[in-house]
Amino acid sequence: LAKTTQPISMDSYEGQEVNITCSHNNIATNDYITWYQQFPSQGPRFIIQGYKTKVTNEVASLFIPADRKSSTLSLPRVSLSDTAVYYCLVGDNDYKLSFGAGTTVTVRA
Amino acid sequence: NAGVTQTPKFQVLKTGQSMTLQCAQDMNHNSMYWYRQDPGMGLRLIYYSASEGTTDKGEVPNGYNVSRLNKREFSLRLESAAPSQTSVYFCASMDFALGVSDTEAFFGQGTRLTVV
């Protein structure tokens, strides 16, 4: 599994846009980039996945530059309920699904 | 469609006791996983099962054993519980295909285990 690096924590205020960048310099050709969200006392849940360029769904957008060595998760107009831990995962050619420490996003009123 | 179901949701053990955490999924997924999450920490992979009949160690396997009973069920056993195993345990499943990483994992609600 390609190693990923993301910030430990980020603070924001309601209504702002939050951007979390994940570095994955060793990403392989077949690897997708997947982000999960974990609320306190719950298991992680899938929020978005992409391979290149930009992906958008009802929850977030994912921006992937041409070299694919990093990706940015964008959460538009966050609310208090977006306070969570966000995990970036890349690839899985050996069946392992390994999560790092993630990024703790705290949204304040 | 219940997804991934873990039992029990809460458990208190005394040091040295044994117990089995149960996990079942109804999505016909081939891969299943067990994680532990300590307070304020990320998820650490204990064991995983790529497919029925196979199991492999993850990052922190010591003190645990697993059984992939069938395609639906993947259990985690603590033979002699220790206070260091106090944690929240999550089970997950995914329909993984080798060489293709465009699938998503589904998680259970967790088992909160305290060893005193």
Side-chain angles (χ1 to χ4, degrees), chain B:
Chain B
N1 187 340
V4 179
T5 303
Q6 292 183 233
T7 54
K9 289 185 171 51
F10 301 93
Q11 184 71 49
V12 178
L13 287 178
K14 293 183 178 179
T15 298
Q17 286 185 319
S18 62
M19 80 160 295
T20 300
L21 281 64
Q22 306 287 352
C23 176
Q25 52 95 4
D26 61 3
M27 295 170 282
N28 203 36
H29 288 165
N30 55 2
S31 301
M32 298 187 71
Y33 305 82
W34 275 106
Y35 297 87
R36 61 176 288 173
Q37 186 172 36
D38 300 330
M41 306 287 287
L43 285 85
R44 291 187 292 170
L45 181 63
I46 305 171
Y47 271 93
Y48 65 102
S49 171
S51 60
E52 184 179 355
T54 68
T55 60
D56 284 285
K57 295 178 180 179
E59 306 160 43
V60 289
N62 291 344
Y64 305 95
N65 286 302
V66 291
S67 295
R68 183 74 182 266
L69 305 171
N70 48 54
K71 192 171 186 179
R72 290 187 64 248
E73 299 172 288
F74 188 38
S75 63
L76 178 72
R77 182 161 178 84
L78 287 71
E79 290 292 350
S80 179
S84 61
Q85 294 178 303
T86 294
S87 190
V88 179
Y89 292 83
F90 289 102
C91 177
S93 73
M94 185 167 74
D95 201 16
F96 179 83
L98 191 63
V100 179
S101 62
D102 63 343
T103 56
E104 65 177 276
F106 294 82
F107 284 78
Q109 286 302 298
T111 295
R112 283 145 186 80
L113 175 67
T114 302
V115 182
V116 298

Side-chain angles (χ1 to χ4, degrees), chain A residues 16-53:
Chain A
Q16 290 188 334
E17 179 181 79
V18 172
N19 296 308
I20 309 170
T21 296
C22 178
S23 298
H24 29 80
N25 293 319
N26 298 323
I27 189 169
T29 303
N30 292 337
D31 288 345
Y32 281 71
I33 300 155
T34 309
W35 286 80
Y36 289 82
Q37 175 189 56
Q38 185 181 25
F39 296 118
S41 302
Q42 295 185 26
R45 67 166 188 151
F46 170 95
I47 51 173
I48 199 166
Q49 184 180 73
Y51 184 80
K52 61 181 179 181
T53 62

